[in-house]
Amino acid sequence: MKDKVSTAVIQRLPRYYRYLSDLLEENVERISSSDLAARMHVTASQIRQDLNTFGGFGQQGYGYHVPHLHAEIGKLLGIDQQKYLIIIGAGNLGQALANYQNFTKRGFQVKALFDIDPEVIGRTIQGAQVFPLEYLEAYLEKNAIDIATLTLPRDRAIEVAKRLCRCGIKAIWNFAHTDLQVDEDVLVENVHLSESLMQLSYRMIAARRKQKKTEETGDTGTGERSD
Amino acid sequence: MKDKVSTAVIQRLPRYYRYLSDLLEENVERISSSDLAARMHVTASQIRQDLNTFGGFGQQGYGYHVPHLHAEIGKLLGIDQQKYLIIIGAGNLGQALANYQNFTKRGFQVKALFDIDPEVIGRTIQGAQVFPLEYLEAYLEKNAIDIATLTLPRDRAIEVAKRLCRCGIKAIWNFAHTDLQVDEDVLVENVHLSESLMQLSYRMIAARRKQKKTEETGDTGTGERSD
């Protein structure tokens, strides 16, 4: 296995895992890289290259053994190990994440939520209680938590991230619309929703521009014929 | 401007926009690529290279004029044009998105939500009403909508995506944990939350593996000294 794995490969791993989970559910035991490629709308050589990063898993002339490959990628993604999360910010987004069954299936368990709003403090969401934010340090002292999720406004997120680092949290899943400045050994995974929406918007405008260009050069692209 | 812009550059554009918005708020009128690079924790040459894709914007010896660059990137991202959204699935996630003030600031307006749950149908979220899902086609016939957001379970999302395509929707922001099969001219932007969480998990395990390796080769990395 390579020491440095590219971000692009890491980003694609969960997608492989998802397709392999589907194959498992369909009781498919074995699949060639070209069949898997056709399903995933990628090239077979990309699949082989990606999986070779981790030492292969495939056999010449046999293809991939689905349960084995599923288990191996699961191990790489840590799905075989239970991980405990807290969510800071129990608004709509925090509650949506706490309710999300897909996480539980993949070994992520939400243990508690934190908020400053008396309206939500004391509620229980899928077995996880909402505590007052001031209880954060005391809670982390008594409970082993792997990942802290931030679903807070950006100013508050920056401050809370610092508190989390002081408590020894090493992984932050950040939904606040800011880049957190944390210690070097703290991992941050950002989900910037409005940036995703802006990317879509960019592509809409680029498509419109391209269409306009096509129209100007004579090809209307409307599919209309005069026959 | 280049005809083909790489996905990586498109992904970085909203981040440039965010930093430029911050600079505007701080009344900074002019910034060098190296100062911007230091703020964004990237290299100055990456910034110059990225922005050159769109024809530059900078002036030798002057740097970037913040209000101008902000406006130009805003145009590329379509922020100068109002875009209308609907959200299909008015659960926690759908409601969180409808409540998100950041979208409104960037020209995205949620016009309506759709659901099958009588509990939420009829509610109004930030001025947008929740309609029964069966009303979708009739609504789209009467209202010009640019983007449909899917916050639904995956099976239902596949079916609703087909209905949206039949109604002429050309852009889908998809939160369902599946790859939608849509017509070639329909843009899909995926936000797969559990895949983002799995990427974080991968990096946690990789970091642990690296630390273990360091410990085995003698350097404990704990910072402890015996002097």
Side-chain angles (χ1 to χ4, degrees):
Chain A
M1 182 167 159
K2 286 190 194 169
D3 242 13
K4 270 265 178 192
V5 178
S6 81
T7 312
V9 177
I10 299 170
Q11 282 177 352
R12 285 195 289 267
L13 268 189
R15 191 161 177 262
Y16 286 118
Y17 188 78
R18 171 155 51 91
Y19 276 87
L20 290 163
S21 304
D22 289 349
L23 287 166
L24 261 191
E25 262 181 43
E26 295 167 27
N27 291 313
V28 177
E29 204 183 294
R30 166 183 162 178
I31 194 163
S32 67
S33 54
S34 55
D35 283 350
L36 185 57
R39 267 189 178 241
M40 294 184 68
H41 299 274
V42 296
T43 64
S45 81
Q46 171 160 87
I47 291 183
R48 284 192 297 265
Q49 208 178 318
D50 281 355
L51 297 181
N52 275 340
T53 317
F54 306 102
F57 309 125
Q59 267 176 277
Q60 192 71 38
Y62 176 87
Y64 296 107
H65 184 251
V66 174
H68 175 69
L69 185 56
H70 181 262
E72 288 298 321
I73 294 183
K75 265 188 235 168
L76 287 170
L77 293 171
I79 287 163
D80 55 335
Q81 291 166 38
Q82 185 79 356
K83 272 164 298 296
Y84 298 112
L85 274 79
I86 54 170
I87 296 172
I88 302 154
N92 278 313
L93 182 56
Q95 290 190 34
L97 297 176
N99 269 314
Y100 208 43
Q101 305 294 329
N102 266 337
F103 299 155
T104 325
K105 266 197 270 173
R106 286 168 181 80
F108 300 98
Q109 199 192 329
V110 177
K111 295 289 281 183
L113 295 93
F114 295 85
D115 209 297
I116 51 167
D117 180 2
E119 271 268 320
V120 293
I121 292 169
R123 274 197 216 171
T124 300
I125 300 156
Q126 298 286 336
Q129 207 185 319
V130 185
F131 294 106
L133 183 55
E134 62 200 55
Y135 184 54
L136 181 66
E137 280 79 2
Y139 180 90
L140 288 174
E141 213 168 283
K142 284 189 225 99
N143 298 275
I145 294 298
D146 303 293
I147 300 170
T149 310
L150 294 184
T151 48
L152 293 165
R154 66 188 262 178
D155 293 337
R156 201 174 287 275
I158 291 168
E159 175 224 314
V160 170
K162 281 185 198 151
R163 286 170 62 182
L164 290 167
C165 289
R166 279 197 295 270
C167 293
I169 285 286
K170 296 292 177 218
I172 296 176
W173 197 28
N174 174 42
F175 285 77
H177 198 218
T178 187
D179 298 322
L180 302 172
Q181 304 301 331
V182 293
D183 304 338
E184 241 186 39
D185 62 337
V186 178
L187 298 167
V188 179
E189 181 78 27
N190 291 310
V191 184
H192 292 326
L193 293 176
S194 55
E195 301 200 354
S196 155
L197 191 50
M198 282 191 266
Q199 282 169 45
L200 179 58
S201 169
Y202 173 91
R203 290 165 57 208
M204 289 164 72
I205 286 167
R208 223 174 287 158
R209 198 186 299 122
K210 199 177 153 195
Q211 204 197 345
K212 215 178 147 195
K213 221 175 177 178
T214 316
E215 282 168 10
E216 279 167 8
T217 54
D219 177 7
T220 61
T222 59
E224 280 176 37
R225 304 266 164 127
S226 53
D227 53 1
Chain B
M1 181 167 160
K2 287 190 193 167
D3 241 15
K4 269 266 177 193
V5 178
S6 82
T7 312
V9 176
I10 300 170
Q11 282 177 351
R12 286 195 288 269
L13 268 189
R15 191 160 178 261
Y16 286 117
Y17 189 77
R18 171 153 53 91
Y19 276 85
L20 289 163
S21 303
D22 290 349
L23 287 165
L24 262 191
E25 261 182 45
E26 293 166 29
N27 291 312
V28 177
E29 205 182 295
R30 169 181 160 178
I31 194 162
S32 67
S33 54
S34 55
D35 283 351
L36 184 58
R39 266 186 178 243
M40 294 184 67
H41 298 274
V42 294
T43 64
S45 80
Q46 172 159 88
I47 292 182
R48 284 192 297 264
Q49 209 178 316
D50 282 355
L51 298 181
N52 275 341
T53 317
F54 306 101
F57 307 125
Q59 268 175 280
Q60 193 71 36
Y62 177 87
Y64 296 107
H65 184 252
V66 174
H68 175 69
L69 184 56
H70 182 262
E72 288 298 321
I73 295 184
K75 264 187 235 167
L76 287 170
L77 293 170
I79 288 165
D80 55 334
Q81 291 168 39
Q82 184 80 357
K83 272 164 299 292
Y84 298 113
L85 274 79
I86 55 169
I87 296 174
I88 302 154
N92 278 312
L93 182 56
Q95 290 190 34
L97 297 176
N99 270 313
Y100 208 42
Q101 305 295 329
N102 265 338
F103 299 154
T104 326
K105 265 198 272 173
R106 285 169 182 80
F108 300 97
Q109 198 192 330
V110 177
K111 295 290 280 183
L113 296 92
F114 295 85
D115 208 297
I116 51 166
D117 181 3
E119 271 268 319
V120 293
I121 292 171
R123 275 196 215 169
T124 300
I125 300 155
Q126 298 287 334
Q129 205 185 320
V130 184
F131 294 106
L133 183 55
E134 61 201 55
Y135 184 54
L136 182 66
E137 281 80 3
Y139 180 90
L140 288 174
E141 214 168 285
K142 283 188 226 101
N143 297 275
I145 295 298
D146 303 294
I147 301 171
T149 309
L150 293 184
T151 48
L152 292 166
R154 65 187 263 177
D155 293 338
R156 202 173 288 274
I158 292 169
E159 175 224 314
V160 169
K162 281 185 197 151
R163 287 170 61 184
L164 290 167
C165 288
R166 278 197 295 269
C167 292
I169 285 286
K170 296 293 177 216
I172 296 177
W173 196 28
N174 175 42
F175 286 77
H177 198 217
T178 188
D179 296 323
L180 303 172
Q181 305 301 331
V182 292
D183 303 339
E184 238 184 41
D185 63 337
V186 177
L187 298 166
V188 178
E189 181 78 28
N190 291 311
V191 184
H192 292 327
L193 293 176
S194 55
E195 299 198 356
S196 156
L197 191 50
M198 283 191 266
Q199 283 169 45
L200 179 58
S201 169
Y202 173 91
R203 289 164 61 208
M204 289 165 73
I205 285 168
R208 223 174 287 158
R209 198 185 300 124
K210 198 178 155 195
Q211 204 197 348
K212 216 178 147 193
K213 219 174 179 180
T214 317
E215 282 170 12
E216 280 169 6
T217 55
D219 176 7
T220 61
T222 59
E224 280 178 36
R225 303 266 164 126
S226 53
D227 56 0

